[in-house]
Amino acid sequence: ARVSRLLIRNARIARPDGSVSEGDLLCEDGRIGGLGPAPGARADEEIDAQGKLLLPGVIDPQVHFREPGKEYKEGLASGSRAAVRGGVTSFLEMPNTDPSTTTQAALDDKLARAAKASVANYGFFIGATADNLDALNSAAPVCGIKIFMGASTGSLLVDKAEDLERIFAHGTRLIAVHAEDEARIRERKAQFKGRTDYAVHSEIRDNACALRATELVLALSKKYKRRLHILHLSTREEVELLRRDKPAWVTAEVIPNHLFLNTADYATQGARVQMNPPIRQPADNAALWAGLHDGAIDFIATDHAPHTLDEKRRPYPESPAGMPGVETSLPLLLTEMQAGRCTLAEIQKWMCWGPAAAYGIPNKGKI
Ligand code: DOR
């Protein structure tokens, strides 16, 4: 069969160690076929990069693309286009769609939709309920099991200790956890009843909600030596915990919202910055950056979770939680790099090969 060739000329090609090689890159049938000066190479398509930086495709390992069921917010066609517009060429998508992705049939439906609609590479999580243990371990192909320990958008929730333990005790797949303690959230919702300012969201779902849940899943992961990934780490307390105590089979991520935003932003943005886990204090922003730099946190995802502006204009607590982000994460981090706050090597670790290594995605993340 004929090989299709794409030649990108005059690029500054980012290497995994953070160095840059100036030259040309040849893609053959979508795979890297060669690097270096290729003046005579014949290609079907040529792009003159004009000295721009050429990065490996970013992998966003946590997005919510809302299909099926809530396509008025987002779909696999629009979400994947936003992704590639922002340099994200692969995404891992969450199961809190409608219906939830908790069975092989629901997974097959998503895969068929993605095969038609997505312009990026994709993988899907299977969602845990209290009673779908067999599907969690047999549904395929999946990138992992997703557990919501605290209720968020959709109906997925596993908040009983014995249900959680059963999932950790049976099987070997990666378990990705949204770690917020549901009992404490409910308690504090009652306590703060009557407050309708959006900022109360961060008070209800406080740092202790996140820390308690993270401590519990870390203990379960250690007890069963079970591969655990902690989604969207948001507090300084969790960073300190993982810095002290992170087994080799545990990884953690942070999202730009928790790096760049804090509770001061409710004043100007209102529900637009309402998400779960919530935005926190400047001290948490600083601790999350430090955790990324020292390896307590392994990589960056976005938790891209769009809602409509009409929904976001509802009064609290009817306003939904979640912010978009898949299109803006790489520009934000490149801006940080230009300001000298992180390096080209770190961006590739946090956004390209780090997620690829954690999820066992072959042939991606490094040029
Ligand atoms: O704020 C959030 N929104 N956090 C989640 O965990 C889910 C997400 C969504 O799907 O809207």
Side-chain angles (χ1 to χ4, degrees), residues 64 66 96 148 152-153 178 232 274-276 303 305 307 321-322:
H64 303 266
R66 309 297 192 208
N96 58 329
F148 282 93
S152 195
T153 303
H178 177 129
H232 42 43
Q274 180 188 335
M275 70 163 298
N276 302 323
D303 194 12
H307 298 285

Side-chain angles (χ1 to χ4, degrees), residues 239 243 254-256 258-261 282-297 300 332-333 335-337 341-343 346-347 350:
V239 175
R243 192 175 285 133
V254 63
I255 70 173
H258 294 123
L259 292 170
F260 292 99
L261 300 169
D284 298 290
N285 299 143
L288 293 165
W289 275 115
L292 254 185
H293 283 295
D294 70 24
I297 300 172
I300 293 176
L332 282 166
L333 267 290
T335 302
E336 289 300 291
M337 182 182 82
R341 287 188 284 265
C342 65
T343 66
E346 285 175 320
I347 288 185
W350 299 339

Side-chain angles (χ1 to χ4, degrees), residues 88-282:
V88 174
T89 53
S90 307
F91 62 84
L92 303 181
E93 207 263 349
M94 285 296 166
N96 58 329
T97 43
D98 187 8
S100 303
T101 318
T102 56
T103 62
Q104 181 71 53
L107 176 67
D108 287 342
D109 174 54
K110 244 186 202 183
L111 287 162
R113 289 166 180 272
K116 281 203 198 101
S118 179
V119 296
N121 306 300
Y122 48 84
F124 296 109
F125 286 88
I126 180 99
T129 69
D131 53 21
N132 72 338
L133 187 63
D134 288 344
L136 293 185
N137 290 315
S138 66
V142 297
C143 49
I145 294 168
K146 165 71 182 280
I147 299 179
F148 282 93
M149 288 175 76
S152 195
T153 303
S155 59
L156 287 174
L157 181 66
V158 179
D159 64 338
K160 306 248 175 333
E162 63 269 25
D163 294 334
L164 271 175
E165 178 139 9
R166 192 169 355 95
I167 296 168
F168 274 83
H170 295 93
T172 56
R173 289 180 163 173
L174 176 150
I175 301 176
V177 177
H178 177 129
E180 286 189 283
D181 185 272
E182 180 65 16
R184 185 175 170 90
I185 294 171
R186 286 193 188 156
E187 215 176 276
R188 292 176 69 80
K189 259 187 194 156
Q191 209 172 313
F192 287 89
K193 203 167 163 35
R195 284 262 309 267
T196 55
D197 56 309
Y198 297 113
V200 77
H201 190 67
S202 292
E203 291 184 59
I204 293 171
R205 304 175 84 115
D206 66 353
N207 288 31
C209 282
L211 179 63
R212 271 194 198 179
T214 294
E215 282 172 342
L216 175 57
V217 285
L218 187 59
L220 286 172
S221 164
K222 285 161 74 170
K223 180 169 173 187
Y224 295 102
K225 289 216 162 38
R226 182 70 184 261
R227 174 80 178 90
L228 167 67
H229 176 63
I230 304 165
L231 299 160
H232 42 43
L233 212 74
S234 62
T235 70
R236 54 193 184 272
E237 290 87 350
E238 291 167 287
V239 175
E240 280 157 26
L241 171 66
L242 293 182
R243 192 175 285 133
R244 277 198 314 273
D245 184 12
K246 192 173 68 156
W249 58 89
V250 175
T251 52
E253 77 188 22
V254 63
I255 70 173
N257 304 350
H258 294 123
L259 292 170
F260 292 99
L261 300 169
N262 57 59
T263 52
D265 294 300
Y266 283 118
T268 55
Q269 302 301 319
R272 286 193 186 202
V273 294
Q274 180 188 335
M275 70 163 298
N276 302 323
I279 55 169
R280 312 262 184 210
Q281 304 296 316

